[in-house]
Amino acid sequence: MTESEFLAETDRIFSRIETALDDVDFDVDALRTGNVLELEFEDGSKVIVNRHVFNQEVWIAAKSGGYHYRHDGQRWTNTRGDGEFFADLAAAIALHAGEPFSFG
């Protein structure tokens, strides 16, 4: 994937996250700044989604830990074990919000 393709794909990821959070009943603020999308919850906790252009990875930082994902041609998979980006992010959002959440 070229750098331009990576940036376009991760822009779509950030937009998908923001759109999904617009439809939830719990309080969460999404702030996109450059390569970072910060999700702040009512209790002040945060989930950080970061695109790392050099490695062409998307990272999640949350209460449950830090995770790195690389595109395998079909989906974004965890580089250090099992896991898929949107499933893992949904679990992190649910943990921080204290409410069920999925990307559907």
Side-chain angles (χ1 to χ4, degrees):
M1 172 179 327
T2 68
E3 183 175 319
S4 297
E5 291 169 334
F6 173 78
L7 292 172
E9 176 64 23
T10 53
D11 278 343
R12 285 189 290 276
I13 288 171
F14 283 8
S15 293
R16 181 176 176 192
I17 296 166
E18 291 166 328
T19 299
L21 292 174
D22 285 342
D23 297 333
V24 297
D25 291 332
F26 52 83
D27 187 25
V28 59
D29 294 319
L31 175 64
R32 189 190 310 200
T33 307
N35 290 331
V36 176
L37 178 62
E38 184 176 291
L39 311 177
E40 185 170 356
F41 296 84
E42 189 172 6
D43 66 357
S45 67
K46 295 180 182 180
V47 172
I48 308 296
V49 180
N50 180 30
R51 62 179 167 198
H52 194 268
V53 178
F54 182 76
N55 290 342
Q56 291 198 349
E57 293 179 349
V58 181
W59 298 351
I60 297 173
K63 285 180 186 176
S64 57
Y67 309 93
H68 298 188
Y69 301 84
R70 189 171 296 131
H71 200 264
D72 67 5
Q74 303 245 336
R75 59 192 198 121
W76 292 89
T77 56
N78 191 318
T79 63
R80 298 179 184 161
D82 294 332
E84 187 273 331
F85 176 79
F86 285 105
D88 292 350
L89 180 58
I93 290 170
L95 176 67
H96 282 259
E99 300 277 342
F101 178 81
S102 72
F103 284 96

